[in-house]
Amino acid sequence: MGFGGRQLVITGDEVQLLSRHGFHSFDVLWVGDQRPRDWKVAAKESGFDLVLVESSRCGHRLKTRTNSCFECNPQSIKRLQRHYRAGTVYIAYAEEVSLLKVGSTENIDIRMKTLRNQGYGEVNDWRLIAAADVSCAGKIETQLLNMLPGERREAGYLNRHNGQRSRELIKCAPRTAWWHFVRLINRVNGRIKFKHAELTQLDYRE
């Protein structure tokens, strides 16, 4: 698919690089010589995480939507692979601070233990309120984060001392989050596998 300027032709080496990491040429938006600030918007609106540019300083044309080189930056590939890997999207709730945490994982039981043990968000009373199996867990997680209303919060960890911050905290009522969760999971043909039995009784303070 192309955007602006002449349509570029992807090379055999680029196709092999994509294939080696589990991607295909149809996962790529061809953006030609457009400026990053322009094609970033087009890629986001079109739902593409990879673009093909006409040229770049490093000599490689495949970029992520954040303008990171697909070939030079292995971490960008790992993030994308996680984005498209099947897994469980979940919503956890900390009643003590009335905050939600949205995430994705391959093992929800281990993930919930980790949240409590690390004191994610500087609390350790995390409980699971919703979970669903989906085909592109990281991507669905991002979509859910963007759908939920409420103020984003940032906090540290009770049991970490390296300055790392938790940035996936949302001030949102559990019942509201559940409503958006169900809508999204149904839209992407996911399978809901858990709902907190007392969702409407959970304490929530504005």
Side-chain angles (χ1 to χ4, degrees):
M1 183 173 180
F3 166 72
R6 65 183 180 85
Q7 183 160 296
L8 299 180
V9 176
I10 194 166
T11 68
D13 287 343
E14 289 165 340
V15 170
Q16 288 182 7
L17 176 64
L18 288 167
S19 178
R20 192 158 64 241
H21 295 289
F23 299 97
H24 193 276
S25 59
F26 55 63
D27 296 317
V28 181
L29 177 66
W30 297 348
V31 297
D33 59 357
Q34 299 295 308
R35 294 173 298 183
R37 69 182 184 186
D38 294 327
W39 59 249
K40 283 181 180 180
V41 174
K44 183 176 182 179
E45 291 178 347
S46 304
F48 284 88
D49 293 304
L50 289 170
V51 301
L52 186 70
V53 301
E54 186 166 13
S55 61
S56 68
R57 291 180 180 178
C58 67
H60 305 135
R61 301 191 304 164
L62 284 168
K63 305 285 184 180
T64 67
R65 197 168 70 193
T66 58
N67 201 21
S68 177
C69 179
F70 188 76
E71 192 164 348
C72 295
N73 187 356
Q75 288 302 316
S76 68
I77 299 175
K78 290 180 181 180
R79 283 192 293 268
L80 278 177
Q81 288 173 331
R82 176 179 171 273
H83 223 51
Y84 288 96
R85 188 181 300 137
T88 300
V89 173
Y90 67 90
I91 301 176
Y93 183 62
E95 201 165 20
E96 180 182 339
V97 289
S98 297
L99 289 176
L100 294 171
K101 188 247 185 288
V102 173
S104 59
T105 182
E106 294 180 1
N107 189 314
I108 189 63
D109 293 328
I110 292 177
R111 182 57 181 149
M112 292 306 301
K113 289 179 182 177
T114 300
L115 290 178
R116 299 185 193 107
N117 291 339
Q118 290 181 343
Y120 185 91
E122 301 176 19
V123 291
N124 54 20
D125 70 328
W126 291 103
R127 66 179 74 185
L128 184 66
I129 65 170
D133 290 333
V134 294
S135 59
C136 299
K139 191 169 187 176
I140 304 306
E141 172 193 346
T142 300
Q143 291 177 359
L144 182 59
L145 272 168
N146 292 333
M147 286 176 66
L148 292 183
E151 179 187 354
R152 296 286 184 94
R153 299 286 179 88
E154 184 176 318
Y157 292 74
L158 290 177
N159 302 320
R160 282 191 178 183
H161 307 284
N162 58 2
Q164 188 171 348
R165 306 287 289 175
S166 52
R167 296 182 172 87
E168 296 167 339
L169 301 170
I170 304 176
K171 189 74 172 178
C172 177
R175 70 179 72 184
T176 301
W178 169 256
W179 185 81
H180 286 284
F181 181 81
V182 172
R183 286 186 63 202
L184 178 59
I185 298 306
N186 287 339
R187 195 173 74 206
V188 301
N189 296 317
R191 183 181 69 86
I192 295 174
K193 65 179 185 179
F194 181 83
K195 176 188 178 183
H196 194 285
E198 299 178 352
L199 186 71
T200 57
Q201 277 72 54
L202 292 175
D203 184 40
Y204 176 75
R205 301 178 302 280
E206 293 290 348

